[in-house]
Amino acid sequence: MASLLSLGLFFCFLFSDISSAINGAHRTARFEFQEATIDQIRTAFDRQQLTSREVVEYYLGAIRELNPRLRAVIEVNPDALALADRADEERRLRPDRARSPLHGIPVLLKDSLATKDRLNTTAGSFALLGSVVRTDAGVVTRLRRCGAIILGKAALTEWGHFRSFPTPNGWSARGGQAMNPYVATADPCGSSTGSATGVAANLAPVSLGTETDGSIICPASANSVVGIKPTVGLTSRAGMIPVSPRQDTIGPFSRTVADSVYLLDEIVGYDPRDSIATREAAQFIPVGGYKQFLKKDGLHGKRLGIVRQPFFNFSSEPSLAKIFQDHIDTMRRHGAVIIDNLEISNISTVLNYKISGELLALAYEFRESINSYLADLESSPIRSLADAIAFNSQHPVLEKLEEYGQEIFLFAESTSNSGEQAKMAVKALNELSRNGYEKMMKDNRLDAMVTPGVSFSAASVLAIGGYPEISIPAGYYGKDGTPVGICFSGLRFSEPALIEIAYSFEQATKVRRAPKVNA
């Protein structure tokens, strides 16, 4: 009798598991994951049509299928499904509780953002494989607090593209060469390459990247996604593998402006581990967050500046001229005031990182900040920039030293006695910003400058002053349909106006289309 009872219970549990699996399969079959937004996923959660486990399972499956070709993800979080189950249980136990839009949503992190879990944090280098951080990065702490699920680490240009100039965008020793999901031969840009390509190819709904000079905006444009580079200090850099505390910032990628804003809202704010920058910035965070600026009529009345030279020179690709002129006309029709043919003083100097002094300042700041980061690790194979240089020299094949070199590393290491020169360089950069970009913006009472997202475009102009920028998909050009973005930038802490402009432009144009990626 007991054996019959046990057998009955066995079949009961078996049929229950099969029924649960079938129901889950039916739910996920009805939900369209391709291009899914946070709002769509959240609505499915609320209607009990989808679970976080099913969402994570879908994206893990997409990574397994497409990542061997795209190399957008360096590693996945072995605890992602357990975190998803926890999120599902929290919603089940307290279904009426108000939650963050990110609760139960998977997020990819650039492999330069520290996570105190079973994931590595290596900047794409084997030199840091096995290193152990003391705690999560500040932005990761905030993501965990709101219930987001860390899906994995995204590929990047090794060391934030600050090892050598010849290093290809999107290449790292650990991750290999990340690919543009639209056109395999097109530049995927960097250094936050995988954060952009992973979202573009629907390997994750949203991600975080970092920028020192173009590393969010350029890959966003090149891979037809939305990227927000926040004002320096608005997001904590604590726990980020640094290049320059003066220019580093952390920002979101997604397929829509709204999703990037939802993520931005969760990661801004004061952090005692990055106290000086975040204390000043915190006072500019609007009560109620940034989602209140998602306005369809956000272009109306905005004063938008156009600097034709050197940013709108499309002699090598005439079709780009039509794309951007059509967009300027669209913005005008939606009530924007276009101030055309403006100039930025000393623009040629600003765009030359050697003449402007940006390279010297960054090299000195990198040596100081990376040495501090490495020394603070709980454990690590390397403890200084000198150690990283030595590791590359000792592992030339692994790190492709002969092909790509490490001349920026060597230059940075040589700046130990260049403190005064670096200080003078920073002073010069501040003057270039004040007398150039800032003066143009203030003299013309601009809400934003509009630039095409071709290559790095105006990245250095904005980098040296810590200014914010948003890139939105603008179109596809050439016979292969290479993506390009349009960028809106402003003065420090002008994110509310930039979000209004970007969202309104997105809703008026709806340019983005998903790439056709085969495994």
Side-chain angles (χ1 to χ4, degrees), residues 124-139:
S125 172
F126 281 107
L128 278 174
L129 187 61
S131 62
V132 179
V133 301
R134 293 188 184 278
T135 188
D136 283 335
V139 293

Side-chain angles (χ1 to χ4, degrees), residues 312 314 320-328 451-453 474 484-486:
F312 285 77
F314 303 126
L320 285 170
K322 183 179 187 311
I323 287 174
F324 286 100
Q325 189 56 53
D326 287 349
H327 286 325
I328 291 170
T451 52
V484 67
I486 187 168

Side-chain angles (χ1 to χ4, degrees), residues 72-220:
V73 181
I74 285 185
E75 61 180 295
V76 296
N77 187 355
D79 299 318
L81 287 173
L83 294 171
D85 289 340
R86 182 190 302 172
D88 288 333
E89 183 70 1
E90 288 171 352
R91 286 196 303 276
R92 187 186 69 80
L93 292 176
R94 301 187 64 180
D96 299 326
R97 180 181 174 184
R99 301 186 190 280
S100 159
L102 270 293
H103 185 273
I105 302 293
V107 182
L108 270 178
L109 304 177
K110 185 176 181 179
D111 184 36
S112 55
L113 298 175
T115 53
K116 185 66 172 174
D117 54 17
R118 293 197 284 167
L119 287 164
N120 288 285
T121 306
T122 68
S125 172
F126 281 107
L128 278 174
L129 187 61
S131 62
V132 179
V133 301
R134 293 188 184 278
T135 188
D136 283 335
V139 293
V140 176
T141 298
R142 289 179 173 274
L143 287 177
R144 294 197 199 276
R145 191 180 302 151
C146 76
I149 297 165
I150 307 305
L151 184 63
K153 293 294 180 73
L156 72 167
T157 316
E158 188 171 302
W159 291 104
H161 214 160
F162 215 70
R163 188 187 106 177
S164 72
F165 294 114
T167 303
N169 284 325
W171 179 87
S172 71
R174 283 196 67 214
Q177 180 61 59
M179 305 298 289
N180 187 308
Y182 289 88
V183 182
T185 57
D187 184 1
C189 214
S191 64
S192 302
T193 313
S195 299
T197 62
V199 166
N202 285 272
L203 306 186
V206 290
S207 67
L208 284 184
T210 72
E211 176 160 329
T212 306
D213 189 330
S215 291
I216 290 175
I217 296 305
C218 186

Side-chain angles (χ1 to χ4, degrees), residues 194-509:
S195 299
T197 62
V199 166
N202 285 272
L203 306 186
V206 290
S207 67
L208 284 184
T210 72
E211 176 160 329
T212 306
D213 189 330
S215 291
I216 290 175
I217 296 305
C218 186
S221 173
N223 297 284
S224 198
V225 293
V226 176
I228 299 181
K229 177 214 172 187
T231 301
V232 171
L234 201 59
T235 53
S236 168
R237 287 81 48 83
M240 168 189 167
I241 298 177
V243 174
S244 161
R246 182 178 49 82
Q247 292 186 197
D248 289 344
T249 188
I250 298 169
F253 289 92
S254 68
R255 294 181 289 271
T256 67
V257 175
D259 283 357
S260 280
V261 170
Y262 292 152
L263 185 48
L264 181 67
D265 268 336
E266 296 299 344
I267 62 173
V268 298
Y270 174 73
D271 184 345
R273 294 191 294 141
D274 189 10
S275 60
I276 296 174
T278 58
R279 181 182 290 114
E280 177 197 1
Q283 63 186 308
F284 293 97
I285 299 171
V287 176
Y290 292 100
K291 59 182 176 290
Q292 63 188 294
F293 301 106
L294 296 169
K295 299 177 180 179
K296 291 190 72 171
D297 63 350
L299 279 165
H300 187 78
K302 294 296 192 300
R303 294 175 61 83
L304 307 180
I306 308 293
V307 178
R308 294 279 175 179
Q309 295 298 328
F311 302 130
F312 285 77
N313 184 358
F314 303 126
S315 56
S316 62
E317 189 55 66
S319 64
L320 285 170
K322 183 179 187 311
I323 287 174
F324 286 100
Q325 189 56 53
D326 287 349
H327 286 325
I328 291 170
D329 293 341
T330 295
M331 289 184 281
R332 189 180 280 114
R333 285 197 304 273
H334 282 77
V337 179
I338 306 297
I339 298 89
D340 210 340
N341 296 305
L342 296 176
E343 295 181 354
I344 298 174
S345 297
N346 299 313
I347 185 64
S348 60
T349 300
V350 174
L351 295 178
N352 188 316
Y353 54 82
K354 292 182 180 178
I355 295 176
S356 70
E358 184 185 10
L359 179 59
L360 172 62
L362 289 179
Y364 180 80
E365 291 161 347
F366 175 68
R367 182 182 182 277
E368 296 291 304
S369 58
I370 197 65
N371 282 346
S372 177
Y373 173 88
L374 294 172
D376 188 56
L377 290 173
E378 191 171 293
S379 64
S380 176
I382 61 171
R383 289 295 187 178
S384 66
L385 176 57
D387 288 347
I389 292 169
F391 179 92
N392 293 337
S393 298
Q394 292 159 10
H395 302 85
V397 176
L398 192 64
E399 288 286 341
K400 290 200 172 184
L401 192 60
E402 183 175 338
E403 294 92 329
Y404 304 141
Q406 55 178 339
E407 77 276 7
I408 301 178
F409 268 17
L410 294 169
F411 176 55
E413 182 63 15
S414 75
T415 63
S416 58
N417 296 317
S418 301
E420 282 304 312
Q421 291 171 279
K423 192 179 297 183
M424 293 291 289
V426 170
K427 182 179 179 182
L429 292 171
N430 290 339
E431 289 176 0
L432 285 170
S433 293
R434 188 165 49 249
N435 299 327
Y437 180 73
E438 279 195 30
K439 188 174 189 302
M440 180 201 69
M441 294 290 292
K442 291 177 179 177
D443 287 354
N444 294 281
R445 296 177 290 113
L446 299 181
D447 294 291
M449 177 176 75
V450 182
T451 52
V454 180
S455 187
F456 283 86
S457 194
S460 291
V461 175
L462 308 171
I464 64 173
Y467 306 116
E469 186 174 17
I470 303 179
S471 178
I472 313 295
Y476 306 85
Y477 68 95
K479 63 179 181 179
D480 294 324
T482 300
V484 67
I486 187 168
C487 303
F488 304 101
S489 63
L491 296 175
R492 286 170 60 80
F493 307 114
S494 63
E495 279 82 359
L498 297 183
I499 290 167
E500 288 183 343
I501 294 164
Y503 183 74
S504 181
F505 174 84
E506 176 194 55
Q507 296 304 300
T509 57

